Amino acid sequence: MKSIKIRILLIFLLPSIFMILTQWYFINIFIKDTLEKQLIKFITHVGESAIRDISPGEMQVFPNYPETETYKNLRERLSGYRDNFDIDNILLLNSDKRVILDLSDMFRNGEEFLMMDINDKQFLALKNGQIKKSSLYKNMQNIYSENVYIPIIGKNGDLRGVLVLYASVKYFTSIMNFQRKLISFFLAMIIILIFVVYWLASTISNPVIRLSKVVDRIGMGEMDIHVPYKTRADEVGHLAENIQSMMTKIENRDMYMRQMSAGIAHEIRNPLTSIKGNLMLIKRRVDNDDDTMEMLEDNLREVNALENLVNDFMNYAKSIKIELKTGELSDIISRAVGETMPFMQQKEIVLSQDISTCVLAADQDHLKRAFVNIIKNSIDAVPIGGKIRISSTLKDGRVRVSFKDSGEGIPKDDLTQIFEPFVTSRSTGTGLGLTIVKEIIEKHKGNIKIASAEGKGTEVTVSLPFRR
């Protein structure tokens, strides 16, 4: 039944997670690209403003140029752009890729700039006035950076120089922080979704699981159980009403079968008692006729067998009422063993016992009757010289009594309906014995299970609550 909950979880969870991850991917890519474009656009505007502040006379390369007032004024203006707009560095090149000014002082005036991260084709595009940017990379400080190359075009349309601006680390830190927050947000969404879907799956599947357990208990013969969800005005409520109706029909059918069994047993019992009495009277009057005596013995045996069948029907027809009294488990089992011992001795059965000491609240006569029936079934199943072991264990407030035999075992197909009335694999008997045993055990708030394999014997386990 757990598979229902798992299937519901998968049906709701997988598409939802897929949608969330898809949204995360597109939002992440879109936002990142948008922020990056905004950054480049901002740096480009800063660079274009700076270019307008650079005169052609300041674009010079010669040994003493950094000592001139022109160079110093240019450096001061570009430093202002760098500091005011949070740019990492500004570098000015001429058209021959030689450094005019580097605010970081890594390159001196006149040095060839060998760290340009755009290819020759992109550099040629600068001559056409196109602004270029580098790819996102980590600089020597292991920090994400991006460079923007802005061409400086002369009046004649020729390339006079290039202004290189290094993107501020803070912008990229903002992008990375945004990505981390986005990931955290979507992970939180997935976790919340898992809990919500699990709750939803439980809400849908739990009633089905509970009703399934009710049906299982009805199938095991329990009729005094509460059917939940009958008041719900949905499919679950309709299912609960159908289960209740089914249980009522089964109870009515069972009551009808019991009444019919009682009627048949009553009709047979009266003439059977008369026949038995007449046979016993005739037996007393016949003295020396051995053949007649043997015939009478055979007839009496058959009458006794019929009487046992009638008693089974009568017992099945009567509703079992138990009166709970305190009793020792070992005493009840001892009485059951004593009653069946003659049958075990006839087949030379080896009996072993290991009974724990515990006190039960039980109807000792009915419980003994159930144990006798179980032991008799074991006696019928084992061959001459076979073995029967009766043992008990205490665990979690319950005593488990095991009746294990070395008999021929029960076919697998018969195990599924072994507690059904009138079902038996033997040539004699009514098939009511285990039905009555199960009813007695359940009246004591216990349960009975049978494990068997053909050729390996059978184990009947009775679980009952005991007093600590």
Side-chain angles (χ1 to χ4, degrees):
M1 264 309 181
K2 291 181 179 177
S3 61
I4 292 177
K5 187 178 290 185
I6 293 172
R7 283 198 292 269
I8 294 173
L9 280 170
L10 293 176
I11 289 170
F12 282 96
L13 202 57
L14 292 181
S16 301
I17 291 177
F18 176 76
M19 288 176 59
I20 288 176
L21 292 177
T22 303
Q23 289 176 351
W24 171 81
Y25 175 78
F26 282 109
I27 291 174
N28 179 52
I29 297 300
F30 175 76
I31 296 296
K32 182 182 175 183
D33 288 348
T34 301
L35 288 175
E36 194 172 348
K37 287 176 182 178
Q38 290 284 347
L39 174 62
I40 298 302
K41 187 176 181 180
F42 170 75
I43 295 174
T44 300
H45 284 315
V46 173
E48 288 174 342
S49 298
I51 286 173
R52 286 192 286 271
D53 267 355
I54 301 173
S55 63
E58 293 173 322
M59 305 274 297
Q60 299 184 51
V61 173
F62 57 88
N64 297 323
Y65 181 53
E67 298 173 5
T68 63
E69 287 297 321
T70 302
Y71 181 90
K72 292 177 182 178
N73 289 334
L74 175 62
R75 183 182 182 92
E76 184 177 352
R77 291 197 306 275
L78 292 181
S79 296
Y81 282 102
R82 180 194 63 186
D83 298 338
N84 291 334
F85 296 104
D86 228 0
I87 306 297
D88 279 354
N89 185 34
I90 297 177
L91 188 141
L92 183 61
L93 306 174
N94 65 12
S95 58
D96 296 327
K97 300 182 184 179
R98 293 193 174 275
V99 176
I100 297 173
L101 185 149
D102 178 14
L103 292 181
S104 68
D105 294 322
M106 184 180 292
F107 297 95
R108 293 189 298 247
N109 179 265
E111 283 189 14
E112 186 177 1
F113 185 61
L114 301 175
M115 296 179 65
M116 187 172 290
D117 51 3
I118 59 174
N119 55 39
D120 292 339
K121 185 177 180 181
Q122 290 174 317
F123 187 79
L124 289 174
L126 291 173
K127 294 182 178 180
N128 297 324
Q130 296 180 18
I131 297 173
K132 292 295 178 181
K133 70 178 185 67
S134 68
S135 301
L136 191 64
Y137 69 96
K138 285 187 177 181
N139 59 23
M140 288 184 292
Q141 286 78 35
N142 200 34
I143 298 172
Y144 282 104
S145 298
E146 194 164 23
N147 306 335
V148 177
Y149 297 84
I150 303 175
I152 302 174
I153 306 299
K155 292 182 179 180
N156 297 329
D158 58 328
L159 181 67
R160 301 197 60 190
V162 178
L163 186 68
V164 185
L165 293 93
Y166 293 79
S168 173
V169 175
K170 291 182 180 180
Y171 290 102
F172 289 100
T173 302
S174 299
I175 293 174
M176 300 308 293
N177 287 338
F178 174 79
Q179 283 183 306
R180 282 192 289 270
K181 289 179 181 178
L182 198 63
I183 291 171
S184 300
F185 171 76
F186 280 108
L187 283 176
M189 286 290 292
I190 290 173
I191 292 171
I192 293 171
L193 180 66
I194 289 172
F195 280 105
V196 170
V197 171
Y198 182 82
W199 172 82
L200 183 62
S202 298
T203 302
I204 295 171
S205 63
N206 283 351
V208 178
I209 293 171
R210 283 191 65 188
L211 289 175
S212 175
K213 290 178 179 178
V214 168
V215 172
D216 289 340
R217 291 174 65 186
I218 293 172
M220 293 171 64
E222 295 183 48
M223 295 298 163
D224 56 343
I225 54 176
H226 170 68
V227 179
Y229 308 115
K230 288 184 292 184
T231 57
R232 285 180 54 161
D234 56 9
E235 290 79 0
V236 173
H238 181 67
L239 176 61
E241 287 180 356
N242 286 340
I243 292 172
Q244 181 68 61
S245 175
M246 177 189 70
M247 189 168 66
T248 303
K249 289 177 181 178
I250 292 173
E251 284 181 313
N252 292 338
R253 186 201 67 178
D254 189 54
M255 186 182 301
Y256 171 75
M257 290 178 66
R258 288 175 185 269
Q259 290 172 350
M260 184 180 68
S261 299
I264 293 172
H266 182 73
E267 291 298 323
I268 295 173
R269 187 174 217 173
N270 289 337
L272 195 62
T273 303
S274 179
I275 292 169
K276 184 177 181 181
N278 290 335
L279 287 172
M280 292 179 71
L281 182 61
I282 294 170
K283 183 181 176 183
R284 282 199 296 268
R285 291 182 178 179
V286 175
D287 290 330
N288 300 320
D289 191 342
D290 292 338
D291 292 337
T292 303
M293 287 292 290
E294 188 177 346
M295 243 182 346
L296 288 171
E297 291 288 349
D298 289 341
N299 286 329
L300 280 170
R301 276 194 294 271
E302 293 300 326
V303 168
N304 287 330
L306 284 172
E307 195 172 42
N308 288 333
L309 291 177
V310 170
N311 287 334
D312 281 346
F313 274 101
M314 293 297 289
N315 289 328
Y316 172 67
K318 290 186 293 186
S319 179
I320 296 174
K321 295 180 180 179
I322 61 172
E323 295 181 8
L324 299 179
K325 294 181 181 179
T326 302
E328 180 67 42
L329 173 66
S330 58
D331 292 340
I332 301 172
I333 292 177
S334 179
R335 288 173 58 198
V337 169
E339 191 172 321
T340 55
M341 184 56 71
F343 303 101
M344 285 191 264
Q345 289 173 345
Q346 285 178 6
K347 296 184 73 170
E348 300 176 359
I349 292 171
V350 178
L351 174 68
S352 60
Q353 298 184 68
D354 182 13
I355 307 302
S356 305
T357 301
C358 72
V359 177
L360 300 175
D363 187 313
Q364 297 186 36
D365 291 333
H366 276 107
L367 199 55
K368 182 213 72 172
R369 178 181 162 198
F371 290 163
V372 166
N373 195 299
I374 295 170
I375 296 171
K376 280 186 175 180
N377 285 341
S378 296
I379 293 170
D380 291 338
V382 299
I384 294 174
K387 296 179 181 180
I388 295 177
R389 176 173 174 77
I390 305 174
S391 61
S392 67
T393 56
L394 305 177
K395 186 178 180 181
D396 300 331
R398 299 183 75 83
V399 57
R400 289 169 176 80
V401 186
S402 168
F403 301 85
K404 192 171 185 179
D405 65 57
S406 60
E408 59 188 13
I410 303 170
K412 188 176 181 181
D413 293 339
D414 292 344
L415 274 176
T416 58
Q417 51 184 357
I418 199 163
F419 294 111
E420 294 293 322
F422 309 111
V423 175
T424 179
S425 59
R426 299 205 301 262
S427 57
T428 59
T430 58
L432 293 172
L434 285 175
T435 304
I436 296 169
V437 168
K438 185 173 184 291
E439 186 174 357
I440 292 172
I441 298 301
E442 289 176 350
K443 291 283 185 180
H444 286 80
K445 297 182 180 179
N447 59 69
I448 179 171
K449 294 181 181 179
I450 298 180
S452 185
E454 290 187 76
K456 295 184 178 180
T458 301
E459 182 177 12
V460 179
T461 305
V462 175
S463 176
L464 296 164
F466 71 89
R467 291 190 173 182
R468 295 179 182 276

